[in-house]
Amino acid sequence: MNFAQTPLHRALQLLTRGRGSRLLGAGLCVAMLSACTLSPDYHRPEVSSPAQFKQAEGWTQANPSDAIARGAWWELYGDKGLNALVEELNRSNQTVAQYEAQYRQAQALVRSSRASLFPSLNLTTSKNRSAQGTGSSSSSLSNNSSGIRDTYNAQLGVSWEIDLWGKLRETMNANESSAEASLADMAAIRLSQQSELVQNYLQLRVIDEQKRLLEATVAAYERSLRMNQNQYRAGVAGPDAVAQARTQLKSTQADLIDLAWQRAQYENAIAVLMGKAPAEFSLAASNDIPALPPIPVSVPSQLLERRPDIASAERKVMAANSNIGVSRAAYFPDLSLSMNGGYSSSSFNNWIELPNRYWSVGPQLALTLFDAGKRSAEVDRTVAVYDQTVAQYRQTVLDGFKEVENYMVQLKVYADEAVVRQEALDAARESLRLTENQYRAGLIGYLDVVNVQTTALSNERSVLNLLQGRLVASVQLIAALGGGWEAGPAFAEADKQ
C-alpha cells in the first residue's frame, strides 16, 4: 500500500492546514468509517453434505405443517400430560436459565461494542487546594499560609476514536456473532433438556405398564401357589410343586419391588428438569403409553439450518473471522478526535464567568513502532483460532449426520425386531395356555408349567423393553434432526453474506 496515496495521508494533510481544513479532514475521516476492513471475507466453511441420508428410504419427508417444524415437537406423542411438563420445563429449567443469562451477557457486549463507534461525552468538576513555599526552609511551607490557594475547575470533554481500519466494527461483528452463538447454545441446551424430559417420561410410562404386568402376574402366581398348597394338603401334589410355586412368586414380587426405585428415579429427574425439588413433585400412574409417532426426516442440507449446535459452531467461526481483522488493525495507527472546554477559577463566587473560560481541540494519532513481534503473534493466534473453529464446525456437522443415521437405523432395526418379538410373545402365550391345560389334566408336572410361565413373562417384558427403546430412539432422532428449532432473522441475514 502506498501510504502517500491513502485516505489516511490525505486526511492528515487536511488536518494540519488550518481550522477550516481540520473540520474538512474530520468530515473525511467520518466518511471513511465504512470504507476499510481488515478481516477476510467470510464464507461458510465447506462441508461434505450428501444428497440424502443413507437410511432415508421409507421415511416421511418433512414439510412445514409438521409439528416438528412448528417448534413443539413433543406434541407428536399426543400426550397432554407430557405437553404440560415440557411447557413447565421451558419456563423453569435452571440449566436453560444459566444459558439465557449468558445470552443476555453477550447481548450487553454487543451494545457496549456498538457504543464505542460513537463519541463519548464527559463532565468533570473538581476543587484543588495547592500551596507553594516562599522560603528555603522545608518548614516554611507549613508555617506560611499565604501561599495556599483554591482552584475550581469544570470541564466538558468530547472524545471520538475514528474507526479507520474497522477495528471497532470488527469487534462489534465478533461480539454479534458470539451473541448469536450464545443464542444457539441456549436453544441447543433447551432441546437437550426437553429431549431428556421426554425420554424420562416415556420410560416412566413403560415402567407403569411393566408394573401392571407384574402385578397381574403376581396375582396369577399367588393363585397357583394356593392351588398347589391345596393339592399338597390333599395329597395330590408333592412339596416340590409348592416350593417351585413359592419361588416363582417371590422372584416376581422382587422384580415388582425393583420397579419402584426405577420409577422414582425417572420421576425425580423430571422434577429437577422442571426446576422443582423431587419432594415437591409426583406423577400419577397412567394406563396409556404414548404411541410411536411418524417422524418426518429432512434432507441433510437442511440439518445445517435446523440443528442449533451446528448454527452455534458456525457463528463461532464468524466471530473468529472478525477477530482476525481486529488483530490486523493493530498494525495501523489509531486516530482519535478530542475537544475539551470549561472554566477554571481560584474563586467559587466568580467561577463560571467568561474570563475564566478555556478550550482545546485537536486530533491524536498513535502508532506502535516496535513491540518485539507481539502484534504478529496475535495475528497468528487469531488465525489459528479461526482454523480451530472451522475444524470444530465441520466435526459438529459430521457428528450431526452420524447421529441422525444411527438413530434412523436403530429405529428401523427396532421395528423389524418388534415384529419378531411380538410373534415370539404370541407363541409363548399359546404355549402357556396349552401347558396349563395339560397340567390341569394331570399330564405334566408343575415344573413344566413354571418353565413356560417364566418364558412367557420374559417375552412380555422383552416386548415392553423394546417399546421403551423405540420410544427413546424416536426422541433422540427428533433431537438429532434439530427438534423444532429454526434459525431466526439474524441468522438468516448472516447466511446471506
Side-chain angles (χ1 to χ4, degrees):
M1 178 185 293
N2 186 354
F3 181 75
Q5 303 300 322
T6 61
L8 174 62
H9 176 68
R10 294 194 295 272
L12 290 177
Q13 288 180 328
L14 291 170
L15 286 169
T16 57
R17 286 182 182 172
R19 185 174 181 181
S21 296
R22 286 197 296 270
L23 293 176
L24 180 59
L28 180 60
C29 289
V30 173
M32 292 189 298
L33 279 173
S34 60
C36 183
T37 181
L38 298 175
S39 64
D41 292 337
Y42 176 76
H43 300 284
R44 174 182 287 177
E46 294 183 1
V47 293
S48 176
S49 179
Q52 66 177 11
F53 292 108
K54 181 170 62 175
Q55 303 294 333
E57 183 179 355
W59 289 89
T60 303
Q61 291 298 312
N63 61 77
S65 64
D66 291 320
I68 194 172
R70 295 198 301 268
W73 58 268
W74 52 90
E75 293 181 358
L76 288 170
Y77 294 91
D79 189 303
K80 294 182 179 179
L82 173 61
N83 297 344
L85 294 177
V86 178
E87 292 300 332
E88 180 66 22
L89 178 148
N90 291 337
R91 292 189 297 267
S92 305
N93 183 271
Q94 295 305 299
T95 303
V96 175
Q98 295 175 42
Y99 279 78
E100 189 272 337
Q102 291 180 8
Y103 174 57
R104 286 190 283 112
Q105 295 174 43
Q107 287 181 309
L109 283 177
V110 172
R111 295 196 302 272
S112 176
S113 59
R114 184 179 293 115
S116 64
L117 295 172
F118 300 91
S120 62
L121 182 65
N122 303 291
L123 175 64
T124 304
T125 59
S126 65
K127 174 186 176 182
N128 297 315
R129 172 164 287 192
S130 61
Q132 182 176 355
T134 58
S136 60
S137 172
S138 61
S139 62
S140 62
L141 180 61
S142 60
N143 295 332
N144 184 9
S145 61
S146 61
I148 300 176
R149 63 190 297 266
D150 294 331
T151 303
Y152 297 89
N153 286 289
Q155 176 177 295
L156 185 66
V158 179
S159 61
W160 188 13
E161 181 179 353
I162 307 301
D163 193 24
L164 287 176
W165 315 110
K167 179 178 69 175
L168 300 180
R169 281 173 293 134
E170 290 299 345
T171 300
M172 184 184 69
N173 291 339
N175 288 334
E176 286 178 342
S177 297
S178 296
E180 291 174 355
S182 180
L183 175 62
D185 287 338
M186 181 177 67
I189 198 66
R190 178 183 289 115
L191 175 60
S192 174
Q193 298 290 288
Q194 291 170 346
S195 172
E196 186 176 347
L197 184 145
V198 175
Q199 291 179 55
N200 289 335
Y201 179 86
L202 295 175
Q203 291 179 91
L204 184 145
R205 289 309 180 206
V206 173
I207 287 179
D208 285 343
E209 182 62 30
Q210 289 185 342
K211 184 172 180 289
R212 287 190 293 273
L213 170 64
L214 289 180
E215 287 174 345
T217 303
V218 165
Y221 289 172
E222 286 175 342
R223 290 193 297 270
S224 296
L225 176 59
R226 287 194 299 269
M227 181 185 67
N228 280 281
Q229 287 174 335
N230 292 335
Q231 290 179 343
Y232 173 68
R233 294 189 190 97
V236 177
D240 57 329
V242 176
Q244 290 165 0
R246 182 176 286 109
T247 300
Q248 185 183 48
L249 172 62
K250 294 304 179 183
S251 297
T252 308
Q253 287 177 334
D255 290 341
L256 180 59
I257 294 172
D258 185 67
L259 289 179
W261 76 266
Q262 294 184 39
R263 189 185 194 280
Q265 283 187 318
Y266 288 122
E267 189 176 68
N268 294 341
I270 292 173
V272 172
L273 287 168
M274 294 192 303
K276 296 182 178 180
E280 299 174 354
F281 175 78
S282 62
L283 193 60
S286 172
N287 294 326
D288 297 320
I289 300 178
L292 192 70
I295 302 174
V297 177
S298 58
V299 297
S301 61
Q302 292 177 341
L303 190 69
L304 306 184
E305 312 296 335
R306 292 193 56 82
R307 279 186 62 128
D309 58 335
I310 294 178
S312 173
E314 188 195 351
R315 267 54 194 185
K316 290 173 183 176
V317 175
M318 296 173 66
N321 186 77
S322 297
N323 284 331
I324 294 176
V326 175
S327 62
R328 287 177 175 174
Y331 283 108
F332 299 89
D334 294 331
L335 177 64
S336 60
L337 301 177
S338 63
M339 181 176 64
N340 297 287
Y343 295 87
S344 178
S345 174
S346 59
S347 172
F348 180 78
N349 293 331
N350 60 353
W351 179 12
I352 311 297
E353 291 187 358
L354 191 62
N356 300 323
R357 184 183 63 180
Y358 68 92
W359 62 271
S360 66
V361 60
Q364 177 180 340
L365 192 67
L367 175 64
T368 301
L369 298 178
F370 177 74
D371 61 2
K374 180 179 179 180
R375 288 170 294 178
S376 176
E378 179 61 17
V379 171
D380 291 342
R381 187 193 69 82
T382 54
V383 171
V385 170
Y386 172 81
D387 292 339
Q388 177 188 1
T389 57
V390 169
Q392 290 173 340
Y393 168 75
R394 289 172 174 162
Q395 187 61 48
T396 302
V397 172
L398 292 175
D399 289 341
F401 290 155
K402 181 190 70 174
E403 288 180 4
V404 173
E405 294 282 9
N406 285 347
Y407 295 132
M408 289 174 69
V409 70
Q410 183 179 9
L411 281 171
K412 281 187 174 181
V413 170
Y414 277 168
D416 295 339
E417 183 182 352
V419 174
V420 178
R421 288 204 175 274
Q422 185 60 47
E423 292 175 349
L425 176 59
D426 293 339
R429 288 173 175 171
E430 178 64 16
S431 176
L432 177 59
R433 184 185 68 82
L434 296 174
T435 301
E436 287 177 341
N437 290 338
Q438 290 176 337
Y439 174 71
R440 294 189 187 97
L443 301 177
I444 58 175
Y446 190 71
L447 179 59
D448 296 321
V449 177
V450 170
N451 291 335
V452 175
Q453 286 176 333
T454 300
T455 301
L457 178 60
S458 176
N459 279 276
E460 294 276 6
R461 300 192 69 179
S462 294
V463 168
L464 288 175
N465 288 335
L466 180 59
L467 175 59
Q468 185 180 65
R470 295 178 71 188
L471 289 169
V472 169
S474 69
V475 177
Q476 292 171 333
L477 175 58
I478 293 174
L481 291 168
W485 187 78
E486 292 285 356
F491 289 83
E493 190 66 28
D495 288 335
K496 295 177 182 178
Q497 301 177 359

